[in-house]
């Protein structure tokens, strides 16, 4: 009997350790980021760092202002949400309620593939097709711009937006819809006035997940956005928070390197904010 | 229970072996410090050298040419690496320079661009925004799109210091690899970019600078201007350690030439 209990305890212990690996990783990353990100902020000054408009890390008189990166990340993410969420959301409504079984199966397969494509491939396709296209359509000298990044990000967030919205739409009890139909509403009225409001929290979750994915993407964006530290404008070359860290890290040294960690810390703060929002949405929907 | 005990024992043994192997005989050390542009050259030289001499470890600290020169002066490393010739005062302060290789930087444009030749001044004016249209230098009408590398890149540092455009370049795009620069220039008819000579191919057109096309010969003869030396700096009148001397001789040997060429530079020997 005792041996059995010891075995149980040992297994519990092993699983506890495995669980702690995840928690430990988060803790280590957080602590490391804070420790390595704070010195540069202290040296540059928080206001100069966050609201400085000029980034020139290797100039003779270096300047470390990351306002262009912050604004670019916000605009870029917002743009991707504005384009990607309606497409993803309506696709999810179609798949959940209107699509024939076969179409549904093919489309779900495609969305799965879309989710699995590595971001460097998105970047490459953007670089070779999207950038020349923007150049020709809008008649600008170069297509690498905030717009190109927004379009790439919009496509990249589609799978998560569609999948999460789809799950929440499918979870709406059938009786709600039947009641609505029985009262004489058309099926379109039913979907938008009954099903969608009932799936509201899931759809919000989808949007927040999309924001998280868009703000954290580096590789694809680095290949299409041009990476010059300009203040954001639709057809200008811009640099995101993520790409600011990724593009300079390999050769950086001294204060420049520390400042890159500080940028990562700012990005981390944004991600935490997004996660907190997500938790809040979940909590609210459980209370209802 | 026995099973778990057995697994734990095996794991313990494995860890033990791993550590036992790690802490083997003492090794000799060659430390190099300096130019980030020389990373590829020194990296591949060190790798090939350490295969031949497993008892010697070559370390490389990418700090920049200036820091590398200071480090060797202060005796903090065996060999200082600089991607510019040493200044007279640095030589006077007791350093000897040995040119290891030359680095040519090609100026590239799109294949459809009719321009074939620019002067060094024109290139500097283009990158600082004084010349903004290709028609000003004999090309078609079209805004010039400046493609460059990210801050800290050795190629960018080399290009800007040779053309005298440090901190003045009005880049349209800052890309993080030579390949990205070449791809972007090959897809945009109005783009101009710079890339290591060894990396350029048919997908873009390489411009002549002051009438000289870059090639191994014109870089070696000094006729092609957009180039810089890769220098090993050592303390004059002070013998290197045996291991450092071996690495130094190896880097200058004919055996090392193809390795240097493979890393994108033009070997001298």
């Amino acid at each position: 009997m005792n041996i059995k209990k010891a075995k149980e305890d040992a297994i519990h212990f092993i699983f506890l350790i495995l669980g702690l690996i995840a928690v430990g990783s988060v803790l280590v990353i957080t602590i490391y980021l804070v420790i390595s990100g704070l010195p540069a902020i202290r040296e540059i000054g928080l206001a100069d760092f966050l609201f400085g408009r000029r980034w020139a890390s290797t100039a003779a008189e270096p300047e470390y202002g990351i306002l262009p990166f912050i604004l670019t990340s916000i605009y870029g993410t917002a743009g991707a949400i504005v384009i990607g969420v309606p497409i993803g959301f309506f696709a999810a409504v179609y798949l959940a309620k209107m699509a024939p079984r076969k179409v549904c199966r093919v489309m779900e397969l495609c969305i799965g593939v879309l989710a699995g494509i590595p971001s460097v491939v998105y970047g490459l396709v953007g670089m070779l097709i999207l950038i020349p296209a923007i150049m020709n359509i809008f008649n600008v000298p170069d297509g690498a711009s905030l717009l190109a990044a927004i379009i790439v990000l919009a496509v990249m967030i589609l799978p998560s937006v569609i999948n999460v919205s789809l799950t929440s739409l499918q979870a709406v009890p059938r009786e709600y819809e039947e009641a609505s139909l029985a009262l004489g509403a058309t099926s379109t009225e039913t979907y938008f006035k009954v099903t969608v409001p009932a799936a509201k929290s899931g759809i919000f979750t989808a949007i927040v997940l999309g924001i998280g994915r868009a703000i954290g993407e580096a590789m694809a964006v680095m290949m299409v956005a041009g990476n010059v530290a300009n203040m954001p404008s639709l057809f200008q070359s811009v640099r995101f928070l993520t790409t600011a860290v990724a593009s300079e890290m390999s050769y950086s040294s001294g204060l420049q390197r520390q400042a890159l960690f500080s940028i990562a810390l700012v990005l981390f703060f944004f991600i935490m904010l997004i996660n907190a929002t997500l938790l809040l949405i979940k909590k609210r929907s459980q209370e209802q | 229970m026995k099973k778990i005990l057995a697994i734990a024992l095996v794991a313990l043994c494995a860890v033990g072996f791993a550590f036992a192997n790690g802490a083997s005989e003492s090794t000799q050390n060659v430390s190099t410090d300096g130019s980030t542009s020389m990373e590829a050259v020194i990296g591949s030289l060190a790798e090939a050298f350490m295969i031949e001499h497993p008892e010697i470890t070559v370390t490389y600290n990418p700090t920049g040419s200036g820091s590398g020169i200071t480090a060797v002066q202060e005796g903090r490393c065996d060999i200082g690496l600089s991607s510019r010739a040493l200044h007279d005062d640095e030589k006077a302060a007791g350093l000897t320079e040995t040119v290891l290789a030359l680095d040519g930087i090609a100026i590239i444009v799109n294949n459809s661009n009719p321009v074939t030749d620019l002067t060094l001044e024109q290139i500097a004016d283009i990158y600082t925004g004084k010349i903004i249209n290709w028609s000003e230098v004999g090309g078609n009408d079209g805004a010039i799109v400046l493609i460059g590398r990210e801050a800290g890149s050795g190629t960018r540092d080399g290009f800007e210091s040779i053309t005298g455009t440090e901190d003045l370049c009005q880049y349209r795009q800052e890309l993080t690899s030579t390949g990205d620069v070449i791809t972007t220039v090959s897809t945009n008819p109005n783009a101009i970019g710079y890339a290591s000579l060894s990396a350029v191919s048919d997908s873009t057109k390489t411009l002549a600078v002051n009438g000289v096309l870059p090639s191994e010969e014109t870089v070696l003869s000094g006729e092609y201007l957009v180039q810089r030396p890769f220098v090993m700096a050592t303390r004059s009148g002070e013998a290197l350690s045996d291991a450092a001397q071996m690495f130094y001789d190896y880097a200058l040997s004919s055996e090392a030439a193809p390795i240097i060429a493979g890393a994108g530079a033009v070997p001298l020997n």
Side-chain angles (χ1 to χ4, degrees):
Chain A
M1 218 42 210
N2 253 344
I3 292 174
K4 223 174 189 177
K5 189 170 180 306
K7 209 170 169 183
E8 280 292 306
D9 285 348
I11 287 169
H12 280 194
F13 181 71
I14 289 169
F15 282 129
L16 175 69
I17 296 289
L18 295 179
L20 284 180
I21 289 176
V23 179
S25 306
V26 172
L27 276 181
V28 168
I29 291 173
T30 311
I31 292 167
Y32 181 71
L33 214 51
V34 169
I35 290 176
S36 47
L38 282 181
I41 295 182
R42 205 172 296 150
E43 195 163 335
I44 298 160
L46 186 64
D48 285 343
F49 183 68
L50 288 180
F51 301 114
R53 289 167 162 262
R54 190 159 173 270
W55 173 268
S57 56
T58 55
E61 281 171 32
E63 282 182 71
Y64 301 96
I66 65 162
L67 188 64
F69 307 157
I70 296 178
L71 289 182
T72 301
S73 273
I74 293 174
Y75 290 179
T77 306
I81 295 299
V82 166
I83 297 175
V85 166
I87 297 176
F89 170 65
F90 288 116
V93 172
Y94 174 75
L95 283 178
K97 299 296 159 197
M98 303 171 201
R101 269 192 99 83
K102 264 189 188 164
V103 177
C104 197
R105 219 174 292 152
V106 171
M107 277 183 70
E108 274 176 352
L109 191 73
C110 291
I111 294 161
V113 172
L114 199 63
I117 294 175
S119 57
V120 65
V121 174
Y122 282 101
L124 196 66
V125 173
M127 200 172 183
L128 294 175
I129 296 175
L130 190 61
I131 288 179
I134 289 178
M135 198 163 75
N136 292 329
I137 294 169
F138 296 98
N139 202 16
V140 286
D142 188 33
S145 56
L146 181 58
L147 179 65
I150 286 175
I151 294 173
V152 168
L153 287 176
V155 176
M156 290 183 78
I157 64 170
L158 276 183
S160 47
V161 172
I162 294 178
N163 281 333
V164 178
S165 316
L166 190 59
T167 315
S168 66
L169 286 171
Q170 280 166 340
V172 174
R174 185 97 188 98
E175 293 79 19
Y176 288 17
E177 287 164 15
E178 277 164 359
S180 163
L181 290 171
L183 288 171
T186 66
S187 35
T188 313
E189 277 171 346
T190 304
Y191 301 147
F192 284 99
K193 299 222 161 122
V194 177
T195 317
V196 170
K200 203 172 55 190
S201 78
I203 292 159
F204 277 126
T205 308
I207 296 173
V208 176
L209 280 178
I211 295 177
R213 169 107 211 228
I215 206 166
E217 177 52 42
M219 193 66 214
V221 167
M222 190 147 80
M223 294 170 81
V224 299
N227 303 327
V228 179
N230 292 320
M231 287 303 257
S233 125
L234 204 52
F235 291 107
Q236 266 296 333
S237 172
V238 291
R239 203 185 287 183
F240 287 68
L241 284 169
T242 47
T243 52
V245 180
S247 66
E248 287 189 18
M249 191 52 100
S250 51
Y251 295 117
S252 61
S253 58
L255 185 60
Q256 181 195 7
R257 192 180 197 93
Q258 291 179 330
L260 295 182
F261 278 111
S262 307
I263 296 178
L265 188 62
V266 172
L267 185 64
F268 188 71
F269 179 73
F270 274 101
I271 303 278
M272 294 303 265
L273 215 62
I274 290 164
N275 276 340
T277 317
L278 207 59
L279 278 179
L280 207 70
I281 292 173
K282 276 195 182 144
K283 209 174 156 198
R284 274 216 187 139
S285 74
Q286 273 165 5
E287 278 168 6
Q288 274 175 3
Chain B
M1 200 55 206
K2 256 186 187 169
K3 247 187 201 165
I4 293 173
L5 208 68
I7 291 171
L9 269 177
V10 168
L12 207 68
C13 289
V15 170
F17 277 123
F19 276 103
N21 279 340
S24 57
E25 75 225 71
S26 65
T27 52
Q28 287 169 283
N29 197 38
V30 182
S31 56
T32 66
D33 190 317
S35 169
T36 52
S37 323
M38 291 170 71
E39 182 163 30
V41 170
I42 291 298
S44 42
L45 278 178
E47 200 176 305
F49 180 74
M50 285 190 283
I51 289 171
E52 280 184 37
H53 304 275
E55 76 283 6
I56 300 174
T57 310
V58 181
T59 62
Y60 162 62
N61 197 6
T63 54
S65 298
S67 319
I69 292 168
T70 318
V72 69
Q73 265 173 346
E74 293 171 357
R76 283 184 283 118
C77 67
D78 295 314
I79 300 172
L81 304 171
S82 164
S83 50
R84 58 167 171 80
L86 296 189
H87 298 150
D88 287 338
D89 55 327
E90 286 160 355
K91 287 183 191 163
L95 289 183
T96 308
E97 75 171 11
T98 315
V99 178
L100 171 68
L102 295 171
D103 178 33
I105 299 170
I107 312 295
I108 53 174
V109 294
N110 191 271
N111 277 330
S112 67
N113 196 322
V115 174
T116 56
D117 188 355
L118 292 173
T119 66
L120 205 55
E121 292 75 50
Q122 279 174 325
I123 293 171
D125 285 349
I126 286 173
Y127 269 90
T128 50
K130 282 184 206 139
I131 296 175
I132 55 167
N133 196 299
W134 280 111
S135 60
E136 293 174 62
V137 290
N140 300 327
D141 182 46
I144 301 177
V145 176
L146 301 173
I147 310 295
R149 290 288 305 276
E150 80 280 15
S153 145
T155 316
R156 167 162 161 169
D157 166 59
F159 172 83
E160 292 187 354
S161 60
I162 294 161
T163 53
T165 55
E166 290 107 328
D167 308 336
L168 297 172
C169 287
Q170 313 276 322
Y171 292 113
R172 182 62 179 72
Q173 286 199 46
E174 291 177 28
L175 300 171
T176 49
S177 78
T178 305
D180 284 353
V181 170
I182 292 172
T183 311
T184 305
V185 171
S186 70
T187 53
N188 188 330
N190 292 319
I192 183 170
Y194 50 78
S196 179
L197 180 56
S198 61
V200 296
S201 63
D202 292 342
S203 59
T204 55
K205 185 161 99 179
T206 305
L207 293 183
V209 177
N210 293 358
V212 183
L213 271 170
S215 70
E216 216 166 288
E217 293 79 53
T218 54
V219 168
L220 270 178
S221 70
E223 286 170 84
Y224 184 73
L225 291 177
V226 192
Q227 61 157 288
R228 55 191 174 145
F230 282 166
V231 168
M232 292 193 290
T234 47
R235 292 181 288 277
S236 320
E238 187 183 319
L240 289 166
S241 71
D242 289 344
Q245 186 66 43
M246 274 167 79
F247 179 67
Y248 179 89
D249 292 339
Y250 176 80
L252 295 173
S253 68
S254 54
E255 200 185 333
I259 298 167
I260 294 173
V266 180
L268 281 185
N269 302 293

